[in-house]
Amino acid sequence: MPPSFWLLFALALCVGLSAFFSASETAFMSASHVRLKTLQQQGRKGAALALSLAEDGDRVLTTILVGNNLVNIAGTAIATVLFTRWVGDMGATISTAVMTMLILILGEVTPKTLARQTPERLAIAFAGPLSALMWILTPVVKLFGLWQKLILRIAKPDEEEADIEAELITMVDEALKEGDMDVHESSLIRSAIEFVDQDVKDIMTPRVDVTAIEDNTPMSEVAQVFRDSNFSRLPVYHEDMDHVIGVLNEKDFYAAQHRDETDLRRAMVPPVYCPATLKISKLLKLCQATRTHLVIVLDEFGGMEGIVTLEDALEELVGEIYDEHDDVSEEMIAQGEDVWQVSGSMQLRDCLARLDQESLADHYEADTVGGWAAEMLERIPAVGMSFEEEGLKCTVTAMDRRRVMRMRIERLHEAEPEAQPEEEKKEEVKNDQD
């Protein structure tokens, strides 16, 4: 065979290896470690090796770059020899143009585009050859590794803390956008991710809304409270609500009444307490460990701040849970374009999120819409009082003594400049011409 045939064969081999290295780089840089680990657990052959290489990204990348540059340089040199034989002095110029196109199209763009579509599958397929090449190029890889350490020591880049939660939420948003999961699944996963960051005080029923009974209340009155409130459990206090001494279950109460008991303290169970700063995830574990559905929330001084139930915690995961006795009422009702009636007890962060202003919640001390009104007005609110904040006009519309019950929120729009009458426009044009 003529020498040109072997040169052409070597050139094709170099371009093929360039495509291999480019595809390997994209595959290992894009492959999901979680998906590779899942494939490993499923017994997929080669997944374990691919995962170990993906986790050793610096060495893999160094090996790929060394190999890619070697074959590209070798291919360019071979092409120069070939074209010089064929066309003489113009061979080097033609070789440069041809190799640039070949490497760009066949060695870079095409393999990287294909590798982005199935990175895990290609990572598994290429893991064996790359592992062997890493062993062959060990001295070179170690040399470049030392060079990298030297550069990093000189440059000293700022270390950024990994925000796993934000990354997971971004992945969920992308999956929803691409149609890999529906809105309900996305909402459930987001709730689970954000679940651990919330405190009990974010979901508790505040003290002013708690229905409780004193320990010396007659049994007939207790029965009436159960009928009127439709609650299945009631806190029991001694003298005042800062001294809760038990929790009365409706079933236990009627069983005691059936036995002709006259002291409701014989039917109640000891209360379970928690601080307002307890995380909701720990609240669930507390409810499981103590086998209770209602927990008394204490403030920093040991007084009762409110109550929280197991249902309250679960609703943060799956949304509102209603039974046939619940009075269902919307906390935020649209009353027209950019106008809402909002409950004073609604969480401020949830309200601002509905108004696309969630980032503002961190600027205020208040947790509820009613507290926000008091904070902004710097006094006890009254019906008719209003304030403006970040393009929103908020007006108190209903009060219960000193407590904000409802507030009207309106989004303000910038006033458009008034149109000039035609006569004034003509006069201005005339003056300009003069």
Side-chain angles (χ1 to χ4, degrees):
M1 292 185 183
S4 296
F5 172 81
W6 294 110
L7 290 176
L8 280 171
F9 176 78
L11 179 60
L13 181 62
C14 287
V15 173
L17 289 173
S18 178
F20 165 78
F21 286 120
S22 297
S24 299
E25 179 183 355
T26 301
F28 277 96
M29 295 304 107
S30 303
S32 167
H33 291 199
V34 175
R35 193 167 297 176
L36 286 174
K37 188 168 292 186
T38 302
L39 292 172
Q40 178 190 3
Q41 293 171 351
Q42 292 175 352
R44 178 75 174 271
K45 187 178 180 180
L49 180 58
L51 179 61
S52 65
L53 293 182
E55 291 174 344
D56 192 8
D58 289 340
R59 289 186 62 213
V60 171
L61 185 60
T62 301
T63 302
I64 290 173
L65 291 178
V66 170
N68 204 15
N69 279 282
L70 285 176
V71 296
N72 286 342
I73 293 170
T76 302
I78 293 170
T80 302
V81 172
L82 272 174
F83 282 99
T84 301
R85 285 184 182 179
W86 292 342
V87 296
D89 294 340
M90 291 294 294
T93 304
I94 296 174
S95 169
T96 302
V98 171
M99 286 304 297
T100 299
M101 294 301 296
L102 281 177
I103 291 175
L104 276 177
I105 297 174
L106 300 180
E108 294 289 336
V109 176
T110 302
K112 288 186 175 182
T113 301
L114 294 175
R116 282 180 59 85
Q117 306 306 312
T118 55
E120 290 80 19
R121 188 170 66 181
L122 286 182
I124 292 173
F126 294 160
L130 268 181
S131 179
L133 192 60
M134 286 174 65
W135 181 79
I136 295 172
L137 295 177
T138 296
V140 179
V141 172
K142 284 187 176 181
L143 180 62
F144 278 101
L146 293 174
W147 175 253
Q148 286 178 336
K149 290 180 181 179
L150 177 62
I151 294 297
L152 291 175
R153 183 170 295 182
I154 296 173
K156 293 182 180 179
D158 295 332
E159 293 185 4
E160 296 183 1
E161 294 184 3
D163 191 348
I164 303 299
E165 181 178 316
E167 292 176 8
L168 286 173
I169 291 177
T170 302
M171 289 171 63
V172 171
D173 291 340
E174 287 297 317
L176 177 62
K177 184 178 178 180
E178 295 175 5
D180 293 334
M181 65 174 60
D182 58 32
V183 176
H184 176 70
E185 292 172 332
S186 170
S187 177
L188 186 61
I189 294 173
R190 287 180 67 98
S191 298
I193 293 171
E194 297 168 353
F195 188 72
V196 295
D197 290 334
Q198 290 184 289
D199 296 333
V200 165
K201 67 180 180 181
D202 297 328
I203 65 169
M204 72 177 185
T205 300
R207 175 175 172 149
V208 293
D209 289 333
V210 173
T211 300
I213 52 176
E214 196 168 0
D215 56 353
N216 59 4
T217 305
M219 299 291 275
S220 58
E221 292 184 20
V222 175
Q224 188 61 45
V225 173
F226 273 120
R227 284 194 294 269
D228 292 342
S229 67
N230 287 324
F231 294 140
S232 59
R233 293 171 180 83
L234 295 172
V236 181
Y237 62 89
H238 177 67
E239 294 184 352
D240 60 59
M241 290 180 64
D242 281 328
H243 298 88
V244 175
I245 59 173
V247 175
L248 183 63
N249 189 301
E250 186 178 20
K251 292 180 180 179
D252 295 337
F253 166 74
Y254 283 115
Q257 195 177 46
H258 182 72
R259 297 192 303 267
D260 294 327
E261 293 279 1
T262 57
D263 187 357
L264 65 85
R265 286 176 293 188
R266 294 180 180 274
M268 69 185 188
V269 296
V272 176
Y273 303 99
C274 78
T277 54
L278 185 72
K279 298 298 182 183
I280 303 178
S281 55
K282 293 185 178 180
L283 172 68
L284 276 181
K285 294 178 181 178
L286 176 64
C287 290
Q288 289 176 321
T290 58
R291 300 176 64 184
T292 187
H293 282 240
L294 187 148
V295 178
I296 309 300
V297 183
L298 302 179
D299 60 25
E300 58 184 308
F301 304 105
M304 179 186 180
E305 188 166 348
I307 63 171
V308 66
T309 66
L310 181 61
E311 182 178 312
D312 293 331
L314 294 177
E315 284 178 341
E316 291 303 307
L317 282 174
V318 300
E320 292 298 320
I321 302 172
Y322 300 109
D323 63 26
E324 59 274 18
H325 301 297
D326 283 339
D327 181 18
V328 181
S329 59
E330 288 288 336
E331 289 186 310
M332 189 169 184
I333 303 172
Q335 292 191 320
E337 185 177 358
D338 292 337
V339 180
W340 298 267
Q341 275 288 344
V342 184
S343 169
S345 61
M346 184 177 185
Q347 287 291 313
L348 178 60
R349 184 174 295 277
D350 295 340
C351 174
L352 293 176
R354 293 272 295 272
L355 299 171
D356 298 325
Q357 300 273 17
E358 187 175 7
S359 59
L360 294 179
D362 296 329
H363 299 168
Y364 310 107
E365 296 292 333
D367 293 322
T368 65
V369 170
W372 184 40
E375 181 179 345
M376 297 304 299
L377 294 169
E378 298 184 335
R379 57 172 294 179
I380 302 299
V383 174
M385 287 186 175
S386 63
F387 63 91
E388 294 183 9
E389 182 75 358
E390 297 293 337
L392 300 173
K393 182 177 181 181
C394 307
T395 306
V396 178
T397 58
M399 295 286 296
D400 180 11
R401 296 182 182 178
R402 295 181 296 274
R403 183 182 181 195
V404 177
M405 299 302 294
R406 306 291 296 178
M407 192 162 72
R408 183 177 185 268
I409 298 181
E410 178 183 1
R411 195 189 303 277
L412 301 177
H413 299 280
E414 294 183 4
E416 297 182 1
E418 296 181 2
Q420 287 182 305
E422 285 295 324
E423 294 181 359
E424 293 184 10
K425 288 184 179 179
K426 290 179 181 179
E427 187 67 27
E428 287 182 4
V429 172
K430 183 178 178 182
N431 292 337
D432 290 343
Q433 291 174 348
D434 292 341

